[in-house]
Amino acid sequence: MKSLRARISLWFALSATITLAVLFAVGYLLLESHMQRDLDLLNKTEFEQIRARLGTDYGALTPQIVDQRIHETADYASVLFYVNIDEPPHDMLFYSNNLDGKPIPDVPGKHIYNAFVPGVGELRVGEFIMPPFDVTIGTPTRQMRQDLTAYVEVCIALLVIMLLTSGLIGIVTSRLILRPVRLIGETANRIRSDNLAERIAVPGGKDEIFDLVRLLNQMFDRLEASFKQARQFSEEVSHELKTPLSLVRLHAERLLVEGKLERRQEDAVLVQLDELARINQMIDELLFISRAEVNGVTLNLINQHPGHFLRSVEPDLHALVEHRGRRLRCVQHGDGLVAMEEKWLRQVIFNLLTNALRVSPPNGLITMTSIVADGSWCVSTEDEGPGLTDEQCERVFDRFVRFNVRAGEDQGSGLGLTICRSIIELHGGSIRAQPRGGELGLRVSFSLPVATVVESSYAMGQPLLGT
Ligand SMILES: Nc1ncnc2c1ncn2[C@@H]1O[C@H](COP(=O)(O)OP(=O)(O)OP(=O)(O)O)[C@@H](O)[C@H]1O
Ligand SMILES: [Mg+2]
């Protein structure tokens, strides 16, 4: 059972019901022994009556007189008592009429016991010695058994009621007990790298929950401090690296301008300049990502029609794709106004397209679809490359994550999609990657909230440019 609430309710219901069942069982045993003691007392009283009836000279009486004297008493009480008198080792001296000649069984060594007489049923038996006679008196336990059965039935009904009501009480109490834990969970879930300053509200009362909240808040304090340190460190390192890199680049460019290098040396310097440019770009990207994570990037948002925006970038997209020998198809549906800063969204779209180009086969088709519907603008790129697994799609937006990189291939740094995610989140949207259902390739799509829906100024399904 996964939910703690369900487990608490179940434990509560079971422990309350089991406790009650144990109490009922103890009650049953006490009641039974109490009733049996009453029956024993009745047997004893009957014996005293028989003894009085026989008189003090009973030892000298003939069996006939004994029989005659007892019959009067035994017959009178035959509804309640069954009586045997024997004179060991001789035969039975007397049977009460209600025994129909059947003896009450003897349990050697015991004077009080339960015995079963065929045709009569269970008897509570008391054996009394009156030398030379053994007087055995039995009282039916039928009524006692009936009372005990009724007791058991009532107990079972009460246990069922107890199980149901304690289950209900358990559900309500566990909900109340776990309410602060749920609130803690909700707040802790909200605390991310971009709002590390938020803390869980400390509840009143110095109980275990209070201690837990205090410990969690202390942990968040430590996390916030170390996050800040790490960010500060990477920003400082990035800044410190930029100056020597610029100097190295300047020296390399001067060597080229002077023109005194041999062909081979010139090529080597050009490779160095390429690599320096890559490192520079990587530093800029890392700086951007770490600032975006603390909302340190201010956007200049302007409401724009997605259609207008895509029309403005589309010629460059086509030029890039055709240059790489692939095909591009752009489709736009619906219209609205979306708050965006154009330069950043251009970067997202170019990053997605560059990724798609890297994996597309020659002449492969890349489809870019833009849809404005249900209060959001959704843009997706689909390619005919090898695609990614679900698990890879989960991780693809993390820093420096790269998959299936083959030696000698156009090397990326693994930051492109991380930057895309930062840009899209700064715009209040979300981005995700998923395998193209049933087909080879990957679909990466982002969506942004639409500020105002505009009644279709773009025809549905209208291609922006030729396919
Ligand atoms: N369309 C795609 N199809 C298959 N794999 C992809 C696709 N897009 C991205 N990937 C995988 O995700 C990884 C990360 O992509 P990302 O754009 O973040 O980095 P990159 O392209 O390797 O480098 P950068 O964009 O920084 O130059 C890529 O290395 C690639 O393995
Ligand atoms: Mg990329």
Side-chain angles (χ1 to χ4, degrees):
M1 201 171 286
K2 279 188 187 158
S3 133
L4 184 58
R5 232 182 74 196
R7 265 180 298 171
I8 290 179
S9 315
L10 190 72
W11 289 339
F12 182 74
L14 283 182
S15 50
T17 314
I18 289 172
T19 311
L20 191 65
V22 171
L23 290 179
F24 282 157
V26 172
Y28 179 93
L29 295 176
L30 287 176
L31 190 64
E32 189 184 33
S33 84
H34 189 78
M35 287 172 148
Q36 281 179 341
R37 256 204 324 275
D38 284 352
L39 294 183
D40 295 340
L41 204 64
L42 279 177
N43 285 345
K44 191 156 185 269
T45 315
E46 175 65 4
F47 166 69
E48 292 301 340
Q49 258 190 1
I50 290 174
R51 182 157 58 183
R53 188 76 194 130
L54 284 176
T56 47
D57 59 338
Y58 66 87
L61 300 177
T62 62
Q64 286 77 18
I65 298 180
V66 168
D67 192 90
Q68 188 194 352
R69 285 191 186 172
I70 294 175
H71 255 303
E72 285 170 27
T73 315
D75 285 350
Y76 178 68
S78 66
V79 186
L80 207 53
F81 299 106
Y82 296 80
V83 183
N84 262 179
I85 298 180
D86 61 341
E87 192 184 356
H90 306 296
D91 281 347
M92 194 64 75
L93 207 64
F94 173 79
Y95 291 105
S96 59
N97 285 341
N98 50 11
L99 276 173
D100 285 336
K102 284 173 242 146
I104 298 172
D106 184 28
V107 176
K110 284 198 167 185
H111 292 292
I112 295 174
Y113 53 91
N114 289 347
F116 186 82
V117 180
V120 172
E122 192 192 33
L123 296 178
R124 180 70 181 171
V125 179
E127 200 179 300
F128 306 92
I129 311 294
M130 213 174 94
F133 302 141
D134 274 3
V135 181
T136 310
I137 302 174
T139 313
T141 57
R142 201 180 318 112
Q143 189 56 45
M144 179 187 90
R145 293 284 167 221
Q146 274 172 9
D147 291 348
L148 286 175
T149 308
Y151 173 86
V152 169
E153 281 166 6
V154 171
C155 288
I156 289 174
L158 288 176
L159 283 176
V160 172
I161 293 170
M162 182 66 175
L163 189 67
L164 294 177
T165 46
S166 57
L168 262 174
I169 294 170
I171 289 171
V172 175
T173 352
S174 61
R175 188 183 273 262
L176 285 175
I177 292 172
L178 292 178
R179 192 167 164 267
V181 178
R182 208 178 54 242
L183 293 179
I184 292 171
E186 280 168 11
T187 319
N189 194 33
R190 270 202 312 275
I191 300 178
R192 291 166 196 273
S193 57
D194 55 349
N195 68 338
L196 269 174
E198 188 172 343
R199 291 290 175 272
I200 301 167
V202 182
K206 306 223 162 183
D207 53 11
E208 289 84 349
I209 299 285
F210 172 86
D211 288 340
L212 177 69
V213 169
R214 208 167 39 87
L215 285 175
L216 280 173
N217 281 342
Q218 282 169 2
M219 187 186 78
F220 286 129
D221 288 345
R222 289 196 296 273
L223 274 178
E224 189 185 6
S226 47
F227 255 78
K228 263 190 191 153
Q229 262 177 9
R231 257 185 221 127
Q232 219 167 333
F233 175 76
S234 63
E235 281 204 21
E236 280 166 9
V237 168
S238 307
H239 279 301
E240 292 300 318
L241 280 175
K242 287 206 100 170
T243 321
L245 278 174
S246 316
L247 285 174
V248 175
R249 202 185 69 229
L250 269 175
H251 284 295
E253 281 170 352
R254 195 178 297 158
L255 280 176
L256 280 181
V257 172
E258 282 173 2
K260 291 180 189 163
L261 300 176
E262 288 176 18
R263 178 90 194 137
R264 219 163 35 88
Q265 290 168 326
E266 223 178 85
D267 286 348
V269 173
L270 282 172
V271 170
Q272 281 173 16
L273 281 173
D274 263 2
E275 289 304 314
L276 282 173
R278 253 168 60 84
I279 296 172
N280 244 320
Q281 191 193 342
M282 217 190 281
I283 290 173
D284 287 340
E285 289 175 346
L286 279 170
L287 266 174
F288 173 81
I289 292 169
S290 70
R291 280 183 192 146
E293 276 175 358
V294 282
N295 289 329
V297 179
T298 319
L299 297 184
N300 181 21
L301 296 176
I302 294 171
N303 278 348
Q304 293 220 40
H305 290 280
H308 286 160
F309 165 71
L310 284 177
R311 271 178 199 282
S312 71
V313 287
E314 210 190 351
D316 295 341
L317 298 178
H318 272 283
L320 181 65
V321 171
E322 277 153 25
H323 174 70
R324 303 279 293 268
R326 275 50 169 187
R327 292 173 297 135
L328 175 68
R329 183 169 172 261
C330 293
V331 181
Q332 156 74 22
H333 296 262
D335 193 16
L337 283 174
V338 176
M340 61 172 104
E341 184 166 345
E342 210 179 302
K343 83 168 180 196
W344 292 122
L345 284 190
R346 251 181 106 84
Q347 183 170 346
V348 171
I349 284 181
F350 272 91
N351 277 357
L352 298 186
L353 195 74
T354 313
N355 282 351
L357 277 174
R358 247 185 218 146
V359 294
S360 289
N363 204 33
L365 177 67
I366 298 168
T367 310
M368 183 166 287
T369 315
S370 149
I371 298 172
V372 180
D374 301 329
S376 63
W377 173 40
C378 182
V379 179
S380 60
T381 54
E382 291 180 351
D383 57 61
E384 294 177 340
L388 294 174
T389 63
D390 285 329
E391 191 262 336
Q392 288 172 327
C393 286
E394 291 283 316
R395 294 177 43 222
V396 80
F397 294 98
D398 293 346
R399 284 173 213 205
F400 298 114
V401 167
R402 302 175 66 225
F403 300 110
N404 316 322
V405 181
R406 284 191 293 264
E409 248 183 14
D410 179 11
Q411 299 275 309
S413 55
L415 289 174
L417 287 178
T418 317
I419 288 181
C420 289
R421 183 176 60 186
S422 298
I423 295 173
I424 294 299
E425 286 179 354
L426 283 172
H427 280 80
S430 61
I431 185 166
R432 67 182 191 136
Q434 60 194 125
R436 282 175 77 189
E439 292 169 76
L440 207 58
L442 188 74
R443 175 187 298 130
V444 185
S445 44
F446 67 82
S447 67
L448 297 185
V450 172
T452 323
V453 179
V454 175
E455 275 315 319
S456 214
S457 62
Y458 289 89
M460 291 290 282
Q462 176 187 339
L464 287 166
L465 288 176
T467 56

